[in-house]
Amino acid sequence: MEEKQVVFVTGGSRGIGKAIALKYAENGYNVVINYVSDKTDVEELEKEFKGKGAETLILKADVSNSEQVEEVVKKAIEKFGKIDVLVNNAGITRDMLLMRMKEEDFDKVIEINLKGTFLVTKAVTPYMMKKRNGRIINLSSVVGVTGNAGQCNYSASKAGIIGFTKSIAKELASRNIRANAVAPGFIDTDMTSVLSDDVKDNINAQIPMKRMGTAQEIANVVYFLGSEESSYITGQVINIDGGMVM
Ligand code: NAP
């Protein structure tokens, strides 16, 4: 029997990350995920992934903490021996207009979204290099391309992820490691559930497809970018946004 491939999805406990991890599980991958909240029901998650035929390693670890990141990667390698696909998905928002944004809210978003992506990629890449094979997919956002009032911290982190992705794509291509980013538009998850109905209606009106996207619609593209079907694609940013940005 062929050895199962392994995906590591950061922040795979909810929303887009969970949909991505489940998509890989359904397609025969074993799954590593991390989370930070004490509310996370690890047993329930394990059961759900087992139902898809996947073995899992589910650990509490903050992506912005290098020691915790190294520990997760070490445990993943001990359990599965390799990581074939890394999805840097963990992310937060702390929205506020520039004039009222606190320094700590700027720092927190950059630390988790951008530095977290760097720390996890740095910890995983040596194992991919050894295998001369790997795929990295980073979650950016349309607002990393366009900017967005009230999100200067978040937009900066997501624009940073684009520069980071293109740079590592150039560094790692010769080792047969591909790196791409996806830039989702407005996707129906806990992250956007805080928006009022008025704000949501306003956003939907500006989307050519007139609706928010689903986590599944992001997972489908992230799965494609981690598969052999995308074997000649690296350093790209794929918008998944119902036509918001063209
Ligand atoms: P979400 O529903 O809020 O889920 C966030 C996930 O990240 C959770 O699993 C959370 O873990 C985890 N997480 C947060 N901080 C973490 C940390 N410090 N260390 C490890 N894990 C952490 O978010 P989402 O909507 O699915 O978004 C997923 C990604 O897509 C993010 O990078 C986001 O910026 C990006 N994105 C989302 C949208 C959208 O409209 N939803 C649009 C564009 C881009 P816990 O469960 O433990 O809290």
Side-chain angles (χ1 to χ4, degrees):
M1 210 171 73
E2 213 179 296
E3 193 190 20
K4 275 195 157 200
Q5 297 206 71
V6 180
V7 66
F8 176 15
V9 183
T10 69
S13 51
R14 292 187 283 128
I16 293 171
K18 184 175 174 189
I20 293 169
L22 284 170
K23 176 82 185 179
Y24 276 93
E26 283 160 14
N27 283 281
Y29 279 67
N30 286 329
V31 172
V32 180
I33 61 182
N34 69 323
Y35 63 93
V36 278
S37 165
D38 289 326
K39 283 185 268 172
T40 306
D41 188 339
V42 175
E43 253 178 56
E44 191 52 43
L45 276 172
E46 268 168 0
K47 249 194 257 162
E48 214 173 321
F49 282 98
K50 206 165 186 191
K52 305 277 181 196
E55 264 189 77
T56 50
L57 177 67
I58 304 175
L59 295 171
K60 185 173 178 181
D62 182 342
V63 290
S64 65
N65 179 310
S66 58
E67 279 168 25
Q68 291 179 24
V69 166
E70 273 157 31
E71 190 61 23
V72 175
V73 174
K74 191 173 140 232
K75 288 202 170 127
I77 297 298
E78 275 166 16
K79 179 158 180 157
F80 295 122
K82 60 176 185 167
I83 294 169
D84 299 285
V85 177
L86 166 64
V87 182
N88 282 303
N89 164 82
I92 61 159
T93 51
R94 292 274 169 93
D95 298 351
M96 189 53 70
L97 292 170
L98 167 69
M99 295 313 287
R100 277 193 250 140
M101 185 172 288
K102 295 197 184 100
E103 185 178 344
E104 70 206 52
D105 286 336
F106 186 86
D107 286 348
K108 196 79 193 159
V109 167
I110 298 292
E111 261 177 36
I112 293 176
N113 298 4
L114 182 56
K115 188 177 135 191
T117 297
F118 158 72
L119 289 176
V120 180
T121 306
K122 190 171 178 214
V124 168
T125 305
Y127 300 99
M128 291 181 166
M129 286 171 95
K130 244 184 245 164
K131 295 257 173 202
R132 292 242 182 256
N133 198 321
R135 288 85 75 195
I136 299 166
I137 301 107
N138 297 328
L139 271 283
S140 177
S141 165
V142 284
V143 305
V145 180
T146 62
N148 195 25
Q151 291 199 304
C152 68
N153 51 358
Y154 182 78
S155 303
S157 75
K158 294 300 181 179
I161 284 174
I162 293 175
F164 176 80
T165 304
K166 291 181 179 181
S167 302
I168 62 163
K170 287 185 176 176
E171 285 185 28
L172 300 172
S174 64
R175 310 298 177 99
N176 197 31
I177 300 168
R178 296 187 290 110
N180 290 288
V182 293
F186 283 88
I187 310 303
D188 191 9
T189 67
D190 293 344
M191 188 176 267
T192 46
S193 67
V194 295
L195 302 173
S196 70
D197 285 346
D198 270 2
V199 171
K200 281 189 195 165
D201 288 347
N202 209 358
I203 291 167
N204 284 340
Q206 292 165 39
I207 301 171
M209 288 181 73
K210 301 292 174 213
R211 65 170 177 87
M212 292 176 105
T214 64
Q216 192 59 52
E217 287 171 318
I218 308 305
N220 293 342
V221 180
V222 171
Y223 180 73
F224 164 72
L225 289 172
S227 77
E228 268 306 292
E229 303 292 309
S230 61
S231 54
Y232 202 48
I233 301 178
T234 196
Q236 302 305 307
V237 185
I238 316 277
N239 289 7
I240 315 166
D241 62 3
M244 267 177 95
V245 178
M246 297 188 190

PDB file of all heavy atoms in Angstrom, residues 151-170:
ATOM      1  N   GLN A 151      -8.765  48.240   8.488  1.00  0.00           N
ATOM      2  CA  GLN A 151      -7.977  46.996   8.586  1.00  0.00           C
ATOM      3  C   GLN A 151      -6.521  47.214   8.210  1.00  0.00           C
ATOM      4  O   GLN A 151      -5.920  46.369   7.549  1.00  0.00           O
ATOM      5  CB  GLN A 151      -8.573  45.923   7.660  1.00  0.00           C
ATOM      6  CG  GLN A 151      -9.930  45.395   8.115  1.00  0.00           C
ATOM      7  CD  GLN A 151     -10.270  44.066   7.469  1.00  0.00           C
ATOM      8  OE1 GLN A 151     -10.284  43.973   6.244  1.00  0.00           O
ATOM      9  NE2 GLN A 151     -10.535  43.045   8.267  1.00  0.00           N
ATOM     10  N   CYS A 152      -5.917  48.354   8.627  1.00  0.00           N
ATOM     11  CA  CYS A 152      -4.534  48.599   8.172  1.00  0.00           C
ATOM     12  C   CYS A 152      -3.577  47.540   8.700  1.00  0.00           C
ATOM     13  O   CYS A 152      -2.635  47.139   8.009  1.00  0.00           O
ATOM     14  CB  CYS A 152      -4.078  50.020   8.512  1.00  0.00           C
ATOM     15  SG  CYS A 152      -3.864  50.343  10.258  1.00  0.00           S
ATOM     16  N   ASN A 153      -3.832  47.028   9.913  1.00  0.00           N
ATOM     17  CA  ASN A 153      -2.966  45.970  10.466  1.00  0.00           C
ATOM     18  C   ASN A 153      -3.144  44.660   9.695  1.00  0.00           C
ATOM     19  O   ASN A 153      -2.170  44.029   9.253  1.00  0.00           O
ATOM     20  CB  ASN A 153      -3.238  45.777  11.970  1.00  0.00           C
ATOM     21  CG  ASN A 153      -4.716  45.586  12.311  1.00  0.00           C
ATOM     22  OD1 ASN A 153      -5.585  45.633  11.437  1.00  0.00           O
ATOM     23  ND2 ASN A 153      -4.997  45.375  13.582  1.00  0.00           N
ATOM     24  N   TYR A 154      -4.400  44.276   9.514  1.00  0.00           N
ATOM     25  CA  TYR A 154      -4.723  43.013   8.835  1.00  0.00           C
ATOM     26  C   TYR A 154      -4.274  43.050   7.362  1.00  0.00           C
ATOM     27  O   TYR A 154      -3.652  42.105   6.868  1.00  0.00           O
ATOM     28  CB  TYR A 154      -6.229  42.768   8.950  1.00  0.00           C
ATOM     29  CG  TYR A 154      -6.726  41.476   8.344  1.00  0.00           C
ATOM     30  CD1 TYR A 154      -6.572  40.260   9.016  1.00  0.00           C
ATOM     31  CD2 TYR A 154      -7.384  41.469   7.120  1.00  0.00           C
ATOM     32  CE1 TYR A 154      -7.051  39.070   8.466  1.00  0.00           C
ATOM     33  CE2 TYR A 154      -7.864  40.296   6.565  1.00  0.00           C
ATOM     34  CZ  TYR A 154      -7.700  39.099   7.249  1.00  0.00           C
ATOM     35  OH  TYR A 154      -8.179  37.918   6.694  1.00  0.00           O
ATOM     36  N   SER A 155      -4.586  44.160   6.677  1.00  0.00           N
ATOM     37  CA  SER A 155      -4.195  44.284   5.256  1.00  0.00           C
ATOM     38  C   SER A 155      -2.685  44.226   5.103  1.00  0.00           C
ATOM     39  O   SER A 155      -2.166  43.587   4.178  1.00  0.00           O
ATOM     40  CB  SER A 155      -4.679  45.609   4.657  1.00  0.00           C
ATOM     41  OG  SER A 155      -6.055  45.728   4.799  1.00  0.00           O
ATOM     42  N   ALA A 156      -1.961  44.892   6.042  1.00  0.00           N
ATOM     43  CA  ALA A 156      -0.493  44.868   5.979  1.00  0.00           C
ATOM     44  C   ALA A 156       0.013  43.443   6.174  1.00  0.00           C
ATOM     45  O   ALA A 156       0.938  42.997   5.477  1.00  0.00           O
ATOM     46  CB  ALA A 156       0.094  45.796   7.038  1.00  0.00           C
ATOM     47  N   SER A 157      -0.603  42.710   7.106  1.00  0.00           N
ATOM     48  CA  SER A 157      -0.150  41.321   7.352  1.00  0.00           C
ATOM     49  C   SER A 157      -0.395  40.462   6.115  1.00  0.00           C
ATOM     50  O   SER A 157       0.440  39.633   5.747  1.00  0.00           O
ATOM     51  CB  SER A 157      -0.851  40.724   8.580  1.00  0.00           C
ATOM     52  OG  SER A 157      -2.197  40.375   8.314  1.00  0.00           O
ATOM     53  N   LYS A 158      -1.532  40.684   5.456  1.00  0.00           N
ATOM     54  CA  LYS A 158      -1.890  39.842   4.311  1.00  0.00           C
ATOM     55  C   LYS A 158      -1.094  40.239   3.055  1.00  0.00           C
ATOM     56  O   LYS A 158      -0.807  39.385   2.206  1.00  0.00           O
ATOM     57  CB  LYS A 158      -3.401  39.910   4.056  1.00  0.00           C
ATOM     58  CG  LYS A 158      -4.230  39.302   5.185  1.00  0.00           C
ATOM     59  CD  LYS A 158      -3.907  37.834   5.398  1.00  0.00           C
ATOM     60  CE  LYS A 158      -4.715  37.195   6.496  1.00  0.00           C
ATOM     61  NZ  LYS A 158      -4.416  35.764   6.690  1.00  0.00           N
ATOM     62  N   ALA A 159      -0.749  41.532   2.932  1.00  0.00           N
ATOM     63  CA  ALA A 159       0.148  41.960   1.842  1.00  0.00           C
ATOM     64  C   ALA A 159       1.540  41.388   2.089  1.00  0.00           C
ATOM     65  O   ALA A 159       2.223  40.938   1.159  1.00  0.00           O
ATOM     66  CB  ALA A 159       0.196  43.490   1.776  1.00  0.00           C
ATOM     67  N   GLY A 160       1.951  41.387   3.367  1.00  0.00           N
ATOM     68  CA  GLY A 160       3.249  40.808   3.734  1.00  0.00           C
ATOM     69  C   GLY A 160       3.323  39.337   3.361  1.00  0.00           C
ATOM     70  O   GLY A 160       4.364  38.857   2.884  1.00  0.00           O
ATOM     71  N   ILE A 161       2.228  38.633   3.542  1.00  0.00           N
ATOM     72  CA  ILE A 161       2.194  37.192   3.211  1.00  0.00           C
ATOM     73  C   ILE A 161       2.417  36.988   1.706  1.00  0.00           C
ATOM     74  O   ILE A 161       3.058  36.019   1.288  1.00  0.00           O
ATOM     75  CB  ILE A 161       0.865  36.561   3.701  1.00  0.00           C
ATOM     76  CG1 ILE A 161       0.937  36.373   5.226  1.00  0.00           C
ATOM     77  CG2 ILE A 161       0.574  35.230   3.001  1.00  0.00           C
ATOM     78  CD1 ILE A 161      -0.348  35.891   5.883  1.00  0.00           C
ATOM     79  N   ILE A 162       1.939  37.922   0.898  1.00  0.00           N
ATOM     80  CA  ILE A 162       2.146  37.801  -0.557  1.00  0.00           C
ATOM     81  C   ILE A 162       3.641  37.935  -0.887  1.00  0.00           C
ATOM     82  O   ILE A 162       4.203  37.112  -1.620  1.00  0.00           O
ATOM     83  CB  ILE A 162       1.290  38.838  -1.321  1.00  0.00           C
ATOM     84  CG1 ILE A 162      -0.202  38.487  -1.158  1.00  0.00           C
ATOM     85  CG2 ILE A 162       1.689  38.882  -2.813  1.00  0.00           C
ATOM     86  CD1 ILE A 162      -1.163  39.496  -1.754  1.00  0.00           C
ATOM     87  N   GLY A 163       4.292  38.939  -0.317  1.00  0.00           N
ATOM     88  CA  GLY A 163       5.733  39.120  -0.549  1.00  0.00           C
ATOM     89  C   GLY A 163       6.536  37.935  -0.038  1.00  0.00           C
ATOM     90  O   GLY A 163       7.478  37.459  -0.684  1.00  0.00           O
ATOM     91  N   PHE A 164       6.141  37.451   1.130  1.00  0.00           N
ATOM     92  CA  PHE A 164       6.801  36.291   1.738  1.00  0.00           C
ATOM     93  C   PHE A 164       6.660  35.066   0.821  1.00  0.00           C
ATOM     94  O   PHE A 164       7.643  34.365   0.541  1.00  0.00           O
ATOM     95  CB  PHE A 164       6.156  36.018   3.110  1.00  0.00           C
ATOM     96  CG  PHE A 164       6.671  34.786   3.801  1.00  0.00           C
ATOM     97  CD1 PHE A 164       7.876  34.813   4.492  1.00  0.00           C
ATOM     98  CD2 PHE A 164       5.953  33.593   3.767  1.00  0.00           C
ATOM     99  CE1 PHE A 164       8.360  33.670   5.128  1.00  0.00           C
ATOM    100  CE2 PHE A 164       6.427  32.457   4.397  1.00  0.00           C
ATOM    101  CZ  PHE A 164       7.635  32.488   5.077  1.00  0.00           C
ATOM    102  N   THR A 165       5.448  34.844   0.328  1.00  0.00           N
ATOM    103  CA  THR A 165       5.174  33.659  -0.516  1.00  0.00           C
ATOM    104  C   THR A 165       6.018  33.697  -1.791  1.00  0.00           C
ATOM    105  O   THR A 165       6.614  32.690  -2.189  1.00  0.00           O
ATOM    106  CB  THR A 165       3.673  33.613  -0.889  1.00  0.00           C
ATOM    107  OG1 THR A 165       2.901  33.635   0.309  1.00  0.00           O
ATOM    108  CG2 THR A 165       3.342  32.372  -1.705  1.00  0.00           C
ATOM    109  N   LYS A 166       6.063  34.869  -2.429  1.00  0.00           N
ATOM    110  CA  LYS A 166       6.815  34.976  -3.689  1.00  0.00           C
ATOM    111  C   LYS A 166       8.315  34.765  -3.435  1.00  0.00           C
ATOM    112  O   LYS A 166       9.002  34.138  -4.243  1.00  0.00           O
ATOM    113  CB  LYS A 166       6.554  36.335  -4.349  1.00  0.00           C
ATOM    114  CG  LYS A 166       5.115  36.452  -4.868  1.00  0.00           C
ATOM    115  CD  LYS A 166       4.859  37.787  -5.531  1.00  0.00           C
ATOM    116  CE  LYS A 166       3.417  37.843  -6.045  1.00  0.00           C
ATOM    117  NZ  LYS A 166       3.110  39.099  -6.719  1.00  0.00           N
ATOM    118  N   SER A 167       8.797  35.290  -2.307  1.00  0.00           N
ATOM    119  CA  SER A 167      10.228  35.150  -1.989  1.00  0.00           C
ATOM    120  C   SER A 167      10.602  33.699  -1.743  1.00  0.00           C
ATOM    121  O   SER A 167      11.600  33.202  -2.285  1.00  0.00           O
ATOM    122  CB  SER A 167      10.588  35.987  -0.759  1.00  0.00           C
ATOM    123  OG  SER A 167      10.276  37.336  -0.992  1.00  0.00           O
ATOM    124  N   ILE A 168       9.787  33.003  -0.928  1.00  0.00           N
ATOM    125  CA  ILE A 168      10.154  31.600  -0.647  1.00  0.00           C
ATOM    126  C   ILE A 168       9.928  30.730  -1.877  1.00  0.00           C
ATOM    127  O   ILE A 168      10.633  29.740  -2.068  1.00  0.00           O
ATOM    128  CB  ILE A 168       9.447  31.022   0.605  1.00  0.00           C
ATOM    129  CG1 ILE A 168       7.938  30.988   0.440  1.00  0.00           C
ATOM    130  CG2 ILE A 168       9.864  31.780   1.862  1.00  0.00           C
ATOM    131  CD1 ILE A 168       7.250  30.078   1.450  1.00  0.00           C
ATOM    132  N   ALA A 169       8.968  31.118  -2.737  1.00  0.00           N
ATOM    133  CA  ALA A 169       8.768  30.349  -3.978  1.00  0.00           C
ATOM    134  C   ALA A 169      10.057  30.384  -4.797  1.00  0.00           C
ATOM    135  O   ALA A 169      10.483  29.373  -5.363  1.00  0.00           O
ATOM    136  CB  ALA A 169       7.593  30.915  -4.773  1.00  0.00           C
ATOM    137  N   LYS A 170      10.697  31.553  -4.840  1.00  0.00           N
ATOM    138  CA  LYS A 170      11.961  31.691  -5.586  1.00  0.00           C
ATOM    139  C   LYS A 170      13.079  30.900  -4.912  1.00  0.00           C
ATOM    140  O   LYS A 170      13.893  30.269  -5.573  1.00  0.00           O
ATOM    141  CB  LYS A 170      12.354  33.172  -5.704  1.00  0.00           C
ATOM    142  CG  LYS A 170      11.468  33.897  -6.697  1.00  0.00           C
ATOM    143  CD  LYS A 170      11.884  35.331  -6.950  1.00  0.00           C
ATOM    144  CE  LYS A 170      10.984  35.918  -8.045  1.00  0.00           C
ATOM    145  NZ  LYS A 170      11.238  37.319  -8.310  1.00  0.00           N
TER     146      LYS A 170
END
